[in-house]
Amino acid sequence: MEIKMNTGHISALITIIIWGTTFISTKILLIDFTPIEILFFRFVIGIIALSIIYPYRLKVMDRKHHLYFAAAGICGVTLYYLLENIALTFTMASNVGVISAIVPFFTAILTYFYLKNEPLRINFFIGFVVALIGIFLISFNGTINFKVNPLGDLLAIAATLVWAIYSVISKKISSFGYHTIQATRQVFFYGILFMIPTLFLFDFKLGFERLANPVNLFNMFFLGLGASALCFVTWNFAIKKLGAIKTSIYIYLVPVITVITAMIVLHEPLTWMAILGTFLTLTGLFISETKMITKKKEKLVNSLQE
């Protein structure tokens, strides 16, 4: 049991480390590609990679399972990224960064009421508040420039809610007993399927000649193979082992990884506000992950020991 938990934590950590660095690749690609083009290409590359790695066809045991895969695809692939990208056009990135930290809260509430198999603990909420303060400090980095942008902020909140729904659905899918890669590939299939109609609403073009640029090619494959194919598999595996709530808590680390990456790659200065924010975020993560023993449990443990 302990080994399974450790592999789950490692999988979640690997996922977050990669996701925390994807902003650099996305920022570079946005010079020649639109957000919808990046989204489409990365998941097409992802599904092709998963098909090569594990080419076995998924045999769905129950037709109703297709509904779960479709729901996961539209939430975790299509809606989440579209809502987030559109939100960034109406509000500041720092706003989106802080709002994204609400994901674990939404996930915990939805998991508790829908799956009813992961209890809510007081330490989770304490850790949530501490981490949220830390992420706020990291996102604004000492410049209190918080400005409410109703449309953009609401879209960002909608994106976090959609991702929380995806996490809960993924936990449900994990109980079906399918291979993680096969299940992830099926989610990608439905995600791309629902994405196709949106291509006609945005300025989408294939333009493969843009990938002749080695920088574009590398970053697109990094997003497709790393941030999509690998990370969705490791994230779903972590949810399977740890549960939706414990896994979602690792999202607190995304801005921390982003700050460190920006300092190393883009040579951005590390301010004392970012250092304090990082400390609080890590503290919040630790508090949320720590199992607090209640008095009843303590009495039970003592009685068993006697």
Side-chain angles (χ1 to χ4, degrees), residues 50-59 179 181-183 185:
L50 294 180
S51 299
I52 294 172
I53 293 170
Y54 201 84
Y56 305 103
R57 180 175 171 271
L58 176 66
K59 295 179 181 179
H179 192 283
I181 294 180
Q182 287 180 313
R185 193 176 64 209

Side-chain angles (χ1 to χ4, degrees), residues 43-205:
F43 279 100
V44 168
I45 292 172
I47 196 171
I48 291 173
L50 294 180
S51 299
I52 294 172
I53 293 170
Y54 201 84
Y56 305 103
R57 180 175 171 271
L58 176 66
K59 295 179 181 179
V60 179
M61 295 176 284
D62 189 332
R63 289 184 178 181
K64 292 181 181 179
H65 293 175
H66 279 294
L67 296 176
Y68 286 97
F69 285 122
I74 194 171
C75 289
V77 176
T78 311
L79 280 180
Y80 172 72
Y81 286 100
L82 280 178
L83 287 170
E84 187 177 64
N85 287 341
I86 296 172
L88 286 169
T89 64
F90 290 101
T91 189
M92 295 181 293
S94 51
N95 286 36
V96 177
V98 172
I99 292 171
S100 65
I102 305 174
V103 167
F105 178 79
F106 281 148
T107 303
I109 300 299
L110 290 174
T111 300
Y112 180 75
F113 285 105
Y114 179 65
L115 298 180
K116 302 182 185 299
N117 60 353
E118 295 184 44
L120 291 176
R121 297 186 176 90
I122 187 63
N123 60 303
F124 169 81
F125 295 103
I126 295 173
F128 169 73
V129 173
V130 173
L132 191 62
I133 294 171
I135 291 168
F136 183 89
L137 294 177
I138 292 172
S139 297
F140 295 99
N141 207 12
T143 58
I144 306 301
N145 191 28
F146 186 81
K147 182 180 179 182
V148 176
N149 298 279
L151 180 57
D153 293 343
L154 284 174
L155 287 171
I157 292 172
T160 62
L161 180 58
V162 163
W163 185 261
I165 294 172
Y166 166 74
S167 296
V168 174
I169 295 172
S170 295
K171 178 59 179 175
K172 184 67 177 179
I173 290 174
S174 70
S175 67
F176 298 154
Y178 297 114
H179 192 283
T180 305
I181 294 180
Q182 287 180 313
T184 304
R185 193 176 64 209
Q186 194 72 5
V187 170
F188 279 19
F189 168 76
Y190 280 109
I192 294 171
L193 190 65
F194 286 117
M195 197 187 304
I196 290 174
T198 67
L199 301 182
F200 299 98
L201 301 176
F202 299 93
D203 185 22
F204 176 84
K205 57 183 179 181

Side-chain angles (χ1 to χ4, degrees), residues 206-213:
L206 290 174
F208 291 121
E209 68 278 359
R210 291 172 292 180
L211 294 175
N213 182 338

Side-chain angles (χ1 to χ4, degrees), residues 293 295-306:
I293 301 176
K295 290 184 179 180
K296 288 184 179 180
K297 288 184 178 180
E298 193 173 2
K299 289 180 179 178
L300 180 60
V301 171
N302 292 333
S303 63
L304 289 174
Q305 288 177 344
E306 293 174 358

